[in-house]
Amino acid sequence: MVDVDRTAYRTCPLCEAACGLELSIAGDTLAAVRGDRDHVFSHGFICPKGATFGQLSGDPDRLRRPLVRRDGQHVEVSWDEAFAAVEAGLRPIIEGYGGQAVAAYLGNPNVHTMAGGLYVTPLLKALGTRNVFSASTVDQMPKHVSCGYLYGSPLAIPVPDLDRTDFLLMLGANPWESNGSLATAADFPGRLKAIQARGGRFVVVDPRRTRTAEHADEHLFIRPGTDAFLLFGIVHTLFAEGLTDLGRLTPYAQGVDDLETLAKDFSPEAVTGICDVPAERIRGLARELAAAPTAAVYGRIGTCTVEFGTLTSWLVDVVNVLTGNLDRPGGVMFPLAAHVRRSAGAGGKGFTTGRWRSRVRGLPEVKGELPVATLADEIETPGEGQVRAFLTVAGNPVLSAPNSGRLDRALAGLDFMVSVDPYLNETTRHADVILPPLDATQKGHYDFSFLALAVRNFAAYSPPVFPADPGGLDECDILARLILIVSGQGAGTDPAVLHDRMLAQALQRAGLEEAAGDGPAERLLDVALRSGAYGLSLDDLLAAPHGVDLGPLQPRIPEVLRTPSGMIELCAPPLAEEAARLRAALDRPRPGLVLIGRRHLRSNNSWMHNVPALVKGRSRCTLQVHPLDADRLTLADGLAAQVSSRAGSLAATVEVTDRVMPGVVSLPHGWGHDLPGTRMTVAAEHAGVNSNILTDDLVIDPLSGNAVLNGIPVEIEPA
Ligand SMILES: Nc1nc2c(c(=O)[nH]1)N[C@H]1C(S)=C(S)[C@@H](COP(=O)(O)OP(=O)(O)OC[C@H]3O[C@@H](n4cnc5c(=O)[nH]c(N)nc54)[C@H](O)[C@@H]3O)O[C@H]1N2
Ligand SMILES: Nc1nc2c(c(=O)[nH]1)N[C@H]1C(S)=C(S)[C@@H](COP(=O)(O)OP(=O)(O)OC[C@H]3O[C@@H](n4cnc5c(=O)[nH]c(N)nc54)[C@H](O)[C@@H]3O)O[C@H]1N2
Ligand code: SF4
Ligand SMILES: [Mo]
C-alpha cells in the first residue's frame, strides 16, 4: 500500500465527457485515479482511459525536452536552442514567400487544453496564413455548417436533452465506446439506461451492431453513407401524414413550405432500396418521433464523415424542428456555458463559406479553414503560394487524415516543419523541431469547447496537480513564443510580453480592471467567466473542486439565433441545392463492398496506444467481415486479407462477425504505429494498420469540405 498524502480533483482531459477524477497523490506520484463521486456532472463515472491518466503522464516515451532533427536523428536540446531553430527555419520562408507558405494543422487535443482554446487563434492570426487545416474536417465540420445555415452561427449546436427525453433516435454514434461527442454527457451509457428506466426508448441506426445498439430498444442496420435518404424519408412522412407540429417555434421558423417541396421525392418507398431500412420502419420512426411527448434525434461521426455529411447533419435538426422538439426540454437544446456571454437578442450576420478558396483544388474556406483532405495537394503542387513549411499543434494527420500514405510522403518533402506535441510519432517524425508541452497533471484545465456542448449546464476548473517540471514549458508559453517568432518579435522575447498584451485586450473588451489567476490561461478564463452568462469567477470555480452545477438546459430561441432574419432558416439555398444532388443520387447504382471505421473504449484516436493497460490483450485492429462476405471472398477468421481502394492498399487481420451488415467491412482508425523514426515503444509493439491508407482524399462532403471516412468502396482478397 502506498501512503496517500493528499487527494486532488480534476476534470479528465481525454474525451468530450469531461468526467471528474479523484486523484490520490503520494509524494510526487499519482497513486490512484478514481471517478469523483461528488462531481456535479459525472457523479463518480470513469472509463478505462480516465483510469490511466497517471500512466499517460508518467509514460517514459513522453517527451519532456524539445527535440531538433540533426542528420536525420532527433536529439534533445534546450528550449532556447529549439526556439532559435524554429526562428531560423520559419522566418526566411515567411519573409521570402509570405505567411501563406506556412500551413498549420490543429489536432483534436487542442479542444482539450486551455492553451488550444486561448492561444491557437492568435497564433494563426500572427501567421497570417489561409492554409489552416484541422481535425474538424475529419470530424464535425458538417454540423458546424448545417447549424451555421439554420441558426446563423456554426457554434450554435443543439445537444440531445438526454436526461429528460422520452425517445432518442441515434444515428452514427456509439457512445458506449466513445462516451459521446457533440453532446458532453459523462456516463452517457447510464443516461441512456435512465431513458429506458423512466419508460422511454432509444433507437440506434448503424451499419454495425455496436455495444450501444445492443442496449437499444431497437437497432436498424443502414447502408453506410445513406442516412440523408432515411432522414428525408422521415421528413417526407411527417409532411405526408400531417405530423409536423413546430409548436412554440412556429413564429421563429421560415422555409417550412420549401422543405415540404424538397421532401416530395423522398418517400419511404423511394429511399428504402438505398438505405436498406424497411419503408414501414421509416414511416414508423416518423410517427413515433411525432407522437412521443418529447423526442430527440442525434447524429454523430457516422452522419458527418460521409459524402452528404452536411445535408445529413441538417436533416437531423430539421426533424427535431418539424416535430417541435428543438429548444424544448426533452428535445434538443442549446447549452449556455459559464464563459459565454448572454446575447442581447436575435439576429446577426448569418453564416457563409468560401471567403477564400484553396489554391490547388479551389475548395471553399469553411470557418476560417480548408479541408485537410487537400493538405497534400497544397504541399506537393509547385507554384506561387505553395506550402513549404508546416506547423502542427496536437495533431497526428499521418494517421488521422484521408489518403494518409500520400500525406506522409508529402510531409517528407517540406522545407521546414515544427510540431507542438509530447510524442515523437508518425507525424512529428517529419518535424525539424518538436516542442513538448507539460503533461496534463502540471497544467490547469477548463473545457472551453465541451462546456458549451454539455447536456446540463455546469462549470469546472482544475488547477495543476503537480508543480511544473522546472525544465519543462507550459503550452501557453510555447504557443506565445511561436507567436512572437512568426510575428518577427524574436525568439528571445519573454512570452510574458504577449500574455500581458492578450490580458490587457481581454480586460478592455470586458470593461474590467484586473483578473485573478496564477497563470496566463487562468487570468483569461477569469475575465471570460466574469463577463459570462452567470457572472462567475475563477475564485468561484477554485472553491468548487467538484464543479458548479448551473441547472438543466433552458430554452434559448430566439436569443441564440444569428441569422440575418433572426429566424431559423430551415431551407437555406446551399442546402436546397445539395438536396437536389441527393435526389439525383436516388438513381445511382448500389456500390459493392464498403469500408467503415469503429472506436473502442480503450483507445483514443491515434495517441493513447503507448499506455500498456490500454493495449493489452487481443489486437483490436481487425477487419470485421460478415460471414456471408467472408464465405464469398474465401476469407478466414484470424488470417490476413488484402484490402484495396482507389487511394491505397493494406493487409489486415480478418475477424468474421455478424456485427457488421453484409456488404460492409469495418477497420478502426488511429493504428499503424510501425513507421520508422518514431519513439512510442508500446504502440510499436501493437502497431496495427492505418485505415486511412484506404480513405480517399478526393472525395469530400462539398458543403463542409469534410473528409469521407465511412462508406469507402474497397476490394478484398485473401493475402
Ligand atoms: N478513418 C477515420 N479517420 C479518422 C476518424 C475516423 O472515425 N475514421 N476520426 C477522426 C476524428 S473524429 C478526429 S478528432 C481525428 C483526430 O485526429 P488528430 O487530432 O490529427 O489525431 P490524434 O490521434 O487525436 O492525435 C493527437 C496528437 O496530439 C498530441 N497530444 C496529446 N495531448 C496533447 C497536448 O496536451 N498538447 C499537445 N500539443 N499535443 C498533445 C498527441 O501526441 C498526438 O500527436 O481523427 C480523425 N480520423
Ligand atoms: N474510446 C474512444 N472514445 C472516443 C474516441 C476514440 O477514438 N476512442 N474519439 C473521440 C472523438 S475525437 C470523437 S469525434 C468521438 C466520436 O464519437 P462517436 O461518433 O460516437 O464515435 P464512433 O464510435 O466512431 O461511432 C460512429 C458510429 O457510426 C457508425 N457508422 C459508420 N458509418 C455510418 C453511416 O453511414 N451511417 C450511420 N448511421 N452510422 C455509421 C459506426 O459503425 C460507428 O458505430 O469519440 C470520442 N471518444
Ligand atoms: S469517459 Fe472520457 S472524460 Fe470520462 S474518464 Fe473516460 S476518457 Fe475521461
Ligand atoms: Mo473527433
Side-chain angles (χ1 to χ4, degrees), residues 560-578:
V560 76
L561 301 174
R562 288 286 162 276
T563 48
S565 60
M567 309 257 284
I568 302 167
E569 296 185 359
L570 275 174
C571 217
L575 293 163
E577 283 163 33
E578 185 68 346

Side-chain angles (χ1 to χ4, degrees), residues 49 172 174 177-178 205-206 225 227 300-301 599-600 603 605:
K49 287 187 300 300
N174 185 11
E177 308 277 4
S178 70
V205 178
D206 199 302
D227 297 69
R300 207 37 292 266
I301 281 287
R599 280 176 166 75
H600 190 282
S603 177
N605 295 327

Side-chain angles (χ1 to χ4, degrees), residues 14-16 49 108 112 139 170-175 177-181 205-208 210 222-227 298 300-303 305-306 596-606 666 669 710-711:
L14 298 176
C15 89
E16 300 183 34
K49 287 187 300 300
N108 168 273
H112 297 274
D139 190 344
M170 265 197 283
L171 311 114
N174 185 11
E177 308 277 4
S178 70
N179 283 306
S181 178
V205 178
D206 199 302
R208 215 162 58 82
T210 60
I222 186 166
R223 292 284 303 165
T226 67
D227 297 69
Y298 164 65
R300 207 37 292 266
I301 281 287
T303 56
T305 53
V306 289
I596 61 168
R598 69 176 185 272
R599 280 176 166 75
H600 190 282
L601 185 58
R602 288 178 173 270
S603 177
N604 193 19
N605 295 327
S606 76
S666 166
H669 76 284
N710 282 298

Side-chain angles (χ1 to χ4, degrees), residues 232-244 260 263-264 266-268 283 286-287:
F232 246 133
I234 291 176
V235 172
H236 176 101
T237 308
L238 291 173
F239 281 116
E241 301 190 0
L243 298 174
T244 63
E260 180 167 11
K264 283 244 152 49
F266 296 95
S267 67
R283 218 168 259 121
R287 291 173 188 153

Side-chain angles (χ1 to χ4, degrees), residues 93 97-103 129 131 359-360 375-389 410 413-415:
I93 292 173
Y97 305 99
Q100 214 49 26
V102 185
T129 180
N131 283 311
R359 178 181 64 105
V360 180
L375 173 56
D377 299 312
E378 296 297 328
I379 298 172
E380 285 177 345
T381 313
E384 202 181 313
Q386 183 181 5
V387 167
R388 292 161 193 276
L414 286 162
D415 291 350

Side-chain angles (χ1 to χ4, degrees), residues 24 39 60 116 119 128 140 157 166 180 202 206 234 241 272 281 288 298 305 314 321 364 376 507 531 575 631 640:
S24 303
H39 194 270
Y119 283 79
Q140 81 290 359
I157 296 179
D166 295 287
F202 76 94
D206 199 302
I234 291 176
E241 301 190 0
T272 180
R281 273 318 286 137
E288 288 153 33
Y298 164 65
T305 53
W314 168 68
V321 172
L507 285 168
S531 40
L575 293 163
D631 262 7

Side-chain angles (χ1 to χ4, degrees), residues 325-338:
N325 282 303
L326 179 80
D327 202 42
R328 81 159 165 193
V332 297
M333 304 189 78
F334 299 96
L336 183 60

